[in-house]
Amino acid sequence: MRNLEEKIADWREQMAAGGIKSPTILDELESHLREEIDIRLACGDSESAAFERGVVWIGTPGAIQAEFNKVERTGCLPMKIGATVWAVLSLGEAIVLSGLMFSGTLHLLVATHIFCLCVGYLASFITGGLAIYYAYRHWFGNFSTAQRQSVERAVLWFSQAAAGLAVVGFILGVLWSIQNSGTYWGGTPREIGGLCASVWLVVLWSVQQFFRKDAYARMQACIGGNVIIGLAWSGAVVLSGDSLPRHLGDYWFIELFLGLHLVVFAMGLSRRLSGLNRQRKEYGV
């Protein structure tokens, strides 16, 4: 009797023969199949039954290809919204910084440094927002394979943009520090926050790029990433002030932002329980 790995290998060959040729897409489909198999095994299904039901849940090559074509024609709405927000806010940031630069308030190097960091952090927050949308659809909605792929590609793209811009912004900050203080590192809260944010975004991009077996875990990392970037950014601003706030409520927006993300992240950790409940309802397990 064939084991599970042999069945999955045969399934990949059948998907490829049916028109799904891209190794990247096949890897993503396999990761979703394995997740579904794990859920069904936890519900008490046999290995064979879990595999068969998982294959049915993924769909046939023809149905998947048709869904991909539909998504390609209509586009991913969350991706469009995220790209539009990012472009508009980036343009607004560029206009404001250009005005300050031409008025002599900011030097070109400083303005570029601020622009890269702000736009890079914004791309990171959009990445986290898309990850929250992914988690929501995974928990409560009918999330097709093509739609998942579309969101995952958007998350990968914004992760790349965030990492690249944050690293460039950090390097420009080091150059500015050398020019003005003669040292590349002053150990200030802003510098520490920028370094932590840059390192995390590079790690997050690496996870998105090279560890593609568990899509849901990657989305969880993006949601947690929003917390890290939020702390690196807002924490640096708070600690760089002349004095700490007397009341925690003075920074209610930061607290609300971080609290909501922590709640969503915690809910994500219970995804297997949600999957079990869904399968029990479907199959009466």
Side-chain angles (χ1 to χ4, degrees):
M1 182 177 180
R2 295 182 305 165
N3 61 31
L4 181 60
E5 294 302 323
E6 291 174 339
K7 291 180 180 180
I8 291 176
D10 289 344
W11 169 82
R12 281 184 65 109
E13 293 179 359
Q14 293 170 9
M15 297 297 286
I20 310 297
K21 304 293 187 181
S22 171
T24 300
I25 293 178
L26 286 173
D27 287 343
E28 292 291 344
L29 292 175
E30 180 181 333
S31 72
H32 296 311
L33 175 61
R34 289 181 181 277
E35 289 177 10
E36 192 67 13
I37 290 173
D38 289 341
I39 289 174
R40 295 174 188 274
L41 287 174
C43 287
D45 285 356
S46 67
E47 186 177 276
S48 178
F51 172 77
E52 295 299 332
R53 290 176 174 177
V55 168
V56 172
W57 179 75
I58 290 291
T60 64
I64 293 173
Q65 194 63 53
E67 184 65 25
F68 272 115
N69 293 336
K70 179 181 177 181
V71 171
E72 290 295 331
R73 289 195 304 269
T74 60
C76 174
L77 182 59
M79 172 61 176
K80 290 182 176 180
I81 295 174
T84 300
V85 170
W86 189 62
V88 170
L89 293 180
S90 297
L91 178 60
E93 179 78 8
I95 292 173
V96 171
L97 291 174
S98 296
L100 294 173
M101 186 177 64
F102 289 129
S103 67
T105 305
L106 287 180
H107 187 273
L108 174 61
L109 183 62
V110 179
T112 308
H113 158 73
I114 294 174
F115 176 80
C116 288
L117 284 185
C118 290
V119 175
Y121 289 172
L122 176 60
S124 176
F125 290 139
I126 292 175
T127 300
L130 289 170
I132 291 173
Y133 170 78
Y134 184 101
Y136 170 80
R137 291 295 302 272
H138 191 276
W139 297 333
F140 305 113
N142 183 19
F143 209 17
S144 70
T145 299
Q147 290 171 331
R148 288 196 301 269
Q149 288 279 336
S150 181
V151 175
E152 288 165 13
R153 287 197 299 269
V155 167
L156 175 60
W157 189 90
F158 277 110
S159 295
Q160 292 172 333
L165 287 166
V167 170
V168 171
F170 180 77
I171 292 173
L172 292 176
V174 171
L175 295 177
W176 178 84
S177 180
I178 292 174
Q179 288 184 0
N180 288 268
S181 63
T183 179
Y184 66 91
W185 181 258
T188 65
R190 292 181 185 274
E191 290 174 316
I192 295 173
L195 176 60
C196 292
S198 299
V199 170
W200 168 252
L201 290 175
V202 171
V203 170
L204 184 60
W205 168 77
S206 300
V207 169
Q208 297 295 324
Q209 182 68 37
F210 301 110
F211 299 92
R212 308 183 66 85
K213 290 300 183 181
D214 192 338
Y216 200 91
R218 299 201 309 273
M219 298 302 130
Q220 282 292 98
C222 292
I223 296 172
N226 269 16
V227 175
I228 293 175
I229 300 302
L231 288 173
W233 196 353
S234 61
V237 172
V238 172
L239 295 176
S240 296
D242 295 332
S243 61
L244 295 177
R246 295 182 179 180
H247 304 287
L248 292 177
D250 292 345
Y251 292 96
W252 65 269
F253 179 79
I254 297 173
E255 295 165 2
L256 178 63
F257 173 84
L258 296 177
L260 288 175
H261 278 78
L262 288 173
V263 168
V264 174
F265 184 79
M267 291 176 63
L269 295 179
S270 64
R271 73 177 182 87
R272 185 168 299 276
L273 178 60
S274 298
L276 289 173
N277 289 336
R278 173 169 61 83
Q279 296 303 328
R280 290 191 180 100
K281 290 178 181 179
E282 290 180 3
Y283 298 104
V285 177

